[in-house]
Amino acid sequence: MAPSTGYRRAKNGEPRAYLESVLSASEQPKYCIRWPYALNGNRAAIRFNGKAALVSRIVCERVNGPPPSPYHEAAHSCGNGHEACINPDHLRWATSTENHADMLEHGTRQRGETHHASILTEVDVIQIRAIRGWMHKDIALLYG
C-alpha cells in the first residue's frame, strides 16, 4: 500500500476531485491507492450524483464499463478492498460468489475465529460437535 496520511474531513468537492485525478492518471502505480476520505464500514464512500456510493464501484464502472448484471460487485485483484484500495488496475466485475472466493484466496474473508463477532475458537467448535447427550443450554453455559 502507498503511505497513508490517514482519513480526514474533506472540503466540499475535494473527494470528487481526488477521484477524478486517480481516474485521469495516464498510468496507475502497481501499489494500492488508498481512499483518504470517508468510509462506509471499511469501504471507500462518496456522495456521487446526490447519493451515497462506493468509490470502488464508481471506479470499476469507469474503467470496465457498466456491470454485466445488477448483481455484479467490484472485486479487488489485490485483496485490499478491506483497506479501501481504489486503484483502477486492481478492480474488475465479479459475481458475489467469485468475490467471496477471491477473499478466501487472499485471506481477507472473515470466517470462523477471524470474524469480528466470533466468540468460539475452532477448537471449541470441534469439542462442541463431539459432545453427545448434553442439553444445548448446558453446552452454552460451559462455552459462554
Side-chain angles (χ1 to χ4, degrees):
M1 293 289 275
S4 172
T5 57
Y7 300 110
R8 57 192 166 78
R9 185 145 178 88
K11 295 177 184 167
N12 197 16
E14 190 177 358
R16 180 80 178 248
Y18 180 81
L19 175 58
E20 292 301 329
S21 73
V22 168
L23 289 168
S24 65
S26 59
E27 194 173 311
Q28 298 297 338
K30 297 292 180 208
Y31 57 81
C32 294
I33 301 170
R34 190 172 185 179
W35 182 249
Y37 302 105
L39 298 178
N40 179 357
N42 60 356
R43 298 171 162 189
I46 191 172
R47 297 282 307 162
F48 195 80
N49 296 333
K51 296 190 293 186
L54 296 176
V55 176
S56 57
R57 195 162 175 88
I58 294 167
V59 171
C60 193
E61 186 161 353
R62 200 69 84 74
V63 173
N64 300 309
S69 80
Y71 305 105
H72 276 74
E73 304 170 351
H76 293 79
S77 62
C78 60
N80 289 321
H82 66 290
E83 293 184 6
C85 172
I86 60 161
N87 187 324
D89 290 346
H90 297 184
L91 292 164
R92 72 180 198 302
W93 293 117
T95 64
S96 181
T97 301
E98 293 166 337
N99 203 5
H100 281 89
D102 285 352
M103 289 183 233
L104 280 174
E105 185 179 319
H106 296 143
T108 56
R109 180 156 181 220
Q110 294 183 337
R111 295 179 65 161
E113 294 179 40
T114 64
H115 192 276
H116 68 277
S118 171
I119 296 171
L120 302 172
T121 66
E122 188 173 336
V123 172
D124 292 338
V125 172
I126 291 168
Q127 290 173 346
I128 290 168
R129 287 181 176 165
I131 294 173
R132 298 284 183 248
W134 285 35
M135 294 185 72
H136 290 167
K137 68 178 183 174
D138 294 330
I139 296 171
L141 285 171
L142 181 62
Y143 285 91

